[in-house]
Amino acid sequence: MAQGALDASVAYVKERKQFRRRIGEFQGIQFMLADMVMQIEASRALIYECARAGDEGDWDRLNVLASMAKCFASDMAMRVTTDAVQVFGGYGYTKDYPVERMMRDAKLAQIFEGTNQIQRLVIARHLLA
């Protein structure tokens, strides 16, 4: 979802013009895109670390990393898709563009398969064990 929202946003800002300039030329938009890609890459790194723990059979570490990865990635997806909707402006809320659906799906990711609050509980209990 987050990568799709970023890809759609990058394509959009290269085409959409405001004040006779592509909106991708505006510093505020560039900052938003930079934050989006950094969050996506950080999430990927955590997911890969989770996979590594599984490959190595480190089940205790895998358990807590899986909770971290699910929580972090779904929260990140919500932030990124919300930013994507903002990049699209009013069009971001219409079904004509994909970011509207991505934002709704990102919200579902935060509550499906164990809410992020439950994942935080798993993480905290691991710390306190």
Side-chain angles (χ1 to χ4, degrees):
M1 287 173 279
Q3 185 66 56
L6 174 65
D7 294 344
S9 295
V10 169
Y12 183 76
V13 303
K14 287 179 177 180
E15 294 178 14
R16 176 80 166 118
K17 289 187 176 182
Q18 192 69 343
F19 308 112
R20 288 178 274 173
R21 294 171 60 191
R22 287 188 175 85
I23 65 171
E25 295 176 33
F26 295 111
Q27 190 177 49
I29 296 292
Q30 292 173 1
F31 286 171
M32 288 177 73
L33 296 174
D35 285 342
M36 291 163 78
V37 74
M38 284 188 294
Q39 292 174 62
I40 290 167
E41 289 303 321
S43 183
R44 272 197 189 110
L46 183 56
I47 290 166
Y48 291 156
E49 187 60 26
C50 183
R52 182 188 346 256
D55 288 346
E56 293 172 355
D58 189 351
W59 308 122
D60 185 51
R61 189 161 180 260
L62 174 61
N63 185 49
V64 72
L65 282 173
S67 288
M68 289 179 188
K70 191 270 184 197
C71 187
F72 187 84
S74 60
D75 283 349
M76 174 277 303
M78 193 67 218
R79 283 189 304 273
V80 167
T81 57
T82 300
D83 284 350
V85 167
Q86 185 171 339
V87 165
F88 276 76
Y91 293 129
Y93 285 102
T94 68
K95 293 187 179 188
D96 297 338
Y97 292 92
V99 294
E100 171 267 340
R101 174 65 187 261
M102 292 172 185
M103 188 173 78
R104 286 188 292 123
D105 290 347
K107 189 59 182 170
L108 180 62
Q110 290 180 310
I111 56 179
F112 191 71
E113 294 289 329
T115 66
N116 283 0
Q117 287 76 13
I118 295 299
Q119 303 307 325
R120 286 177 171 89
L121 215 92
V122 169
I123 296 163
R125 287 182 177 166
H126 177 72
L127 282 172
L128 300 172

